[in-house]
Amino acid sequence: MNKPIMLSAAMLMVLGCSQQPEKQTDKRPNIVYIMSDDHGYQAVSAYGYGMNKTPNIDRIAAEGALFTRATVTNSLCAPSRAVLLTGKHSFVNGKVDNVQHFDWEQDNFPKLLQRAGYQTAMVGKIHMDGLPQGFDYSAVVPGQGQYYNPDFIVNGKKEQIHGYVTDITTDLALKWLEGRDEDKPFCLLFHQKAPHREWLAAERHYKEYTKMKFPEPETLFDDYEGRGTAAKSAEMNILKDMNWAGDSKIKPELMDELGIPPTLNWDKNAYNNNLGRMDSTQRAAWDSVYDPINEDFKKRYPSMSKEDLMRWRYQRYMQDYLATVAAVDDGVGRVLDYLKEHGLEENTIVVYTSDQGFYMGEHGWFDKRFMYEESLKTPLMIRYPKEIKAGTKIDALVQNLDFAPTFLDYAGAEIPSDMQGESFRKLVSGETKDWRDAIYYTYYEYPSIHMVKRHYGIATDRYKLIHFYYDIDEWELYDLEKDPHEMRNVYDDPSYKSIREEMHAKLDELRKKYKDSDENDKKYIDSYLSATSGKK
């Protein structure tokens, strides 16, 4: 097993003190795009929800711009990443769900940056099959990756690296930055696996976070009245649908002792496989913290009500989830410090975002997929001192569709006419306020895990129109100003008749603009069912 690739704090201090600011011959801006997996905006302290502290991520917002209405076009891991790379909607780039193949032969913005003279690298999670194209260097985790002693595919060669995945991903990113050609501009895609399920934190964080208690969202016990079939039939309730062993970290043998059946067929396997990757020292440290949690649960379980269990599982979820976020924030800090110490801060665009939003107990849920706010919205902050004033706040409807053309714009490279996103460079610099007034969304992966029904829709700054289709035909309309938690579907409310008509007209307009259609929906239903044999 290989030793961990580490740049020690001492080494970085020596490099920072001894090295003069780097003399980059090509003065075009560098790009560091940091993306975590399933990091809800609620768990970034810059957004003010008070759940946790992310001081390093917050630095990007404080020194640059914070986006309050950033959204995705398809709230699912692989499709979101395909949209990032191509600047095209899922139904155009072909990666509509986690099942369909992604065609790496199509153009993407890193390829275009390479042609324009940039060095490019991808480190961390991409969650798409095939060797990433458009990168001079890639070190990616296969599939979802593992938290402890993970496998990486480094320039096409698989190897296991000892340590904690978030720290290793940061090490690899810093190692590439250290070894790049200093005369050329660079673009680094720095993608963390965390905080994706099943939320195994680093020792330094789980020892702290398992002692914490977190505030409950006011909709934790939502009964889904006032909405349609889709919300009521989804399988992502923390009490009912979260795995006991894999997610809540109840030992499989204790589940058997207490008569708790597995939630899904991979419940116990997830626990055994994840912890089975640990070495004896890592496992001993883990057991010293989680064994007492199991013992306490064993004593309490027989007398716990469903409400007690929901509250207990919510706290367990938040403890592990937010602990994994803490390591992501550590990594962001290390990269920001590197840029500062090496004189790269002024000429480097730094982005922090997630591949989509995530439920942290709102409506009783975990996961994403829906076009509802917690899933649709994503954290986004950008720092670029040359053009973006510190403390900037952007309320415009920016999407992950816009990253590719924005980066090409900053690099002075040509933006292909078939890219569907728009550069928000002038928006964030304050040169213009002219921007789209609605965003378009699609979701395809059904029937599948969590059973979120297929849907598409649009959102403006105030209203949201959603069409659930395939095995149902239902419309939902929400007034986000009066109903920010989306508890009441007003589609059939007579007082919203004119709004409903306006939103339908705008939906038709955007489907035409982006070249979506019912034929696309049918095509991807057929291809998905063929690939999955129509099984859940």
Side-chain angles (χ1 to χ4, degrees):
M1 200 176 289
N2 293 328
K3 293 183 178 180
I5 300 171
M6 296 292 291
L7 290 176
S8 68
M11 183 184 296
L12 287 175
M13 287 179 64
V14 170
L15 288 170
C17 294
S18 64
Q19 187 168 333
Q20 296 298 314
E22 295 177 3
K23 297 179 181 179
Q24 186 174 302
T25 305
D26 190 326
K27 297 301 182 182
R28 289 177 293 174
N30 307 305
I31 301 166
V32 175
Y33 175 86
I34 310 171
M35 183 167 71
S36 52
D37 193 320
D38 292 346
H39 189 178
Y41 59 89
Q42 314 95 301
V44 176
S45 49
Y47 284 97
Y49 285 84
M51 295 195 69
N52 62 333
K53 294 181 180 180
T54 51
N56 295 302
I57 297 171
D58 292 357
R59 282 166 59 186
I60 302 173
E63 298 167 7
L66 178 74
F67 291 72
T68 64
R69 289 300 304 276
T71 64
V72 295
T73 62
N74 183 341
S75 186
L76 197 61
C77 296
S80 178
R81 294 158 197 273
V83 170
L84 155 73
L85 291 169
T86 64
K88 300 173 184 177
H89 275 279
S90 301
F91 48 85
V92 176
N93 68 50
K95 188 63 177 171
V96 299
D97 52 44
N98 281 338
V99 176
Q100 307 296 329
H101 172 72
F102 178 68
D103 179 13
W104 280 104
E105 295 299 322
Q106 65 185 301
D107 256 343
N108 61 41
F109 83 83
K111 289 184 182 181
L112 297 171
L113 289 179
Q114 277 185 320
R115 294 172 201 162
Y118 270 69
Q119 304 166 84
T120 61
M122 174 184 286
V123 178
K125 182 179 176 181
I126 187 59
H127 198 207
M128 293 192 288
D129 54 334
L131 183 67
Q133 293 186 26
F135 302 96
D136 302 309
Y137 172 84
S138 64
V140 299
V141 295
Q144 295 287 5
Q146 303 97 8
Y147 273 105
Y148 277 85
N149 306 327
D151 295 327
F152 274 80
I153 300 174
V154 182
N155 288 334
K157 184 179 179 181
K158 185 176 180 179
E159 60 177 291
Q160 185 176 14
I161 303 176
H162 186 270
Y164 184 65
V165 68
T166 307
D167 298 338
I168 295 168
T169 303
T170 305
D171 295 339
L172 290 168
L174 290 170
K175 182 183 178 185
W176 181 81
L177 286 171
E178 190 65 32
R180 75 193 190 286
D181 184 342
E182 295 177 5
D183 290 328
K184 295 180 180 179
F186 63 83
C187 175
L188 168 64
L189 303 191
F190 172 32
H191 294 184
Q192 292 287 12
K193 165 189 168 58
H196 193 279
R197 189 182 189 187
E198 282 92 9
W199 314 298
L200 274 71
E203 179 182 349
R204 64 186 184 276
H205 292 129
Y206 66 67
K207 286 185 173 180
E208 174 188 5
Y209 277 76
T210 51
K211 299 175 183 177
M212 294 183 179
K213 185 174 182 179
F214 299 93
E216 296 173 0
E218 61 181 87
T219 59
L220 181 63
F221 293 95
D222 192 354
D223 61 6
Y224 314 115
E225 289 301 316
R227 280 137 295 168
T229 304
K232 295 173 183 177
S233 62
E235 297 177 0
M236 39 199 255
N237 183 271
I238 292 172
L239 176 59
K240 298 176 182 177
D241 304 308
M242 187 174 273
N243 282 336
W244 283 94
D247 295 327
S248 295
K249 313 303 188 301
I250 294 300
K251 289 185 172 182
E253 55 268 32
L254 181 56
M255 288 175 60
D256 293 340
E257 182 179 342
L258 296 174
I260 300 174
T263 305
L264 296 169
N265 58 13
W266 44 274
D267 187 343
K268 295 179 180 179
N269 285 340
Y271 179 95
N272 291 326
N273 292 339
N274 290 335
L275 272 63
R277 297 189 69 87
M278 295 178 175
D279 65 26
S280 58
T281 301
Q282 293 166 337
R283 184 60 187 267
W286 177 276
D287 287 343
S288 71
V289 172
Y290 283 86
D291 279 359
I293 292 173
N294 275 255
E295 287 301 316
D296 178 69
F297 180 75
K298 179 180 177 180
K299 294 175 184 177
R300 297 171 58 189
Y301 178 75
S303 61
M304 293 174 79
S305 66
K306 286 185 178 181
E307 186 177 279
D308 293 335
L309 283 169
M310 178 61 142
R311 290 199 156 104
W312 185 89
R313 299 201 76 182
Y314 169 75
Q315 293 299 329
R316 278 275 52 253
Y317 170 33
M318 285 297 94
Q319 289 167 356
D320 290 345
Y321 177 97
L322 294 173
T324 65
V325 169
V328 172
D329 189 69
D330 291 344
V332 170
R334 291 175 62 196
V335 170
L336 293 179
D337 289 347
Y338 178 93
L339 295 174
K340 184 175 183 178
E341 291 162 1
H342 289 74
L344 296 166
E345 197 172 39
E346 289 295 311
N347 197 43
T348 300
I349 300 161
V350 180
V351 175
Y352 184 83
T353 190
S354 175
D355 55 353
Q356 62 258 324
F358 211 68
Y359 289 103
M360 285 177 275
E362 299 87 2
H363 307 290
W365 287 337
F366 66 106
D367 207 68
K368 59 268 186 176
R369 301 167 194 263
F370 274 116
M371 196 187 170
Y372 303 138
E373 286 293 277
E374 292 84 1
S375 171
L376 174 70
K377 285 173 58 176
T378 186
L380 175 60
M381 48 217 68
I382 301 178
R383 186 186 74 183
Y384 183 36
K386 286 187 176 181
E387 293 190 15
I388 303 173
K389 293 180 181 178
T392 296
K393 183 180 177 183
I394 303 292
D395 297 323
L397 297 167
V398 168
Q399 288 195 288
N400 56 344
L401 190 70
D402 303 318
F403 286 130
T406 299
F407 295 149
L408 293 172
D409 189 0
Y410 277 119
E414 184 177 352
I415 302 172
S417 60
D418 61 349
M419 277 193 176
Q420 296 178 302
E422 302 174 40
S423 170
F424 53 75
R425 180 181 181 179
K426 290 183 178 180
L427 179 73
V428 74
S429 69
E431 293 179 57
T432 184
K433 293 185 178 180
D434 185 26
W435 195 248
R436 66 170 67 94
D437 62 358
I439 56 100
Y440 183 58
Y441 180 87
T442 58
Y443 177 77
Y444 300 88
E445 193 170 291
Y446 175 89
S448 184
I449 181 72
H450 299 305
M451 298 300 280
V452 172
K453 294 188 181 295
R454 294 170 182 261
H455 58 290
Y456 60 83
I458 62 165
T460 66
D461 61 346
R462 177 170 177 175
Y463 300 104
K464 186 181 296 181
L465 178 67
I466 309 172
H467 182 211
F468 292 96
Y469 66 95
Y470 175 54
D471 60 338
I472 61 173
D473 182 10
E474 296 181 8
W475 291 87
E476 295 183 3
L477 176 66
Y478 294 96
D479 183 340
L480 299 176
E481 183 178 291
K482 294 183 177 180
D483 180 23
H485 299 305
E486 296 165 301
M487 302 291 284
R488 189 170 77 93
N489 174 19
V490 296
Y491 187 82
D492 293 321
D493 186 330
S495 65
Y496 283 87
K497 181 176 183 295
S498 62
I499 298 298
R500 183 176 68 236
E501 291 172 351
E502 290 174 15
M503 292 294 283
H504 269 286
K506 193 171 289 292
L507 174 63
D508 292 342
E509 176 188 326
L510 287 189
R511 276 171 69 86
K512 182 177 180 181
K513 173 183 177 180
Y514 291 124
K515 299 181 174 62
D516 198 11
S517 64
D518 292 341
E519 288 73 25
N520 275 342
D521 298 337
K522 185 180 185 306
K523 177 177 74 172
Y524 287 117
I525 288 171
D526 292 343
S527 61
Y528 178 77
L529 294 179
S530 175
T532 61
S533 300
K535 297 179 180 179
K536 176 180 172 181

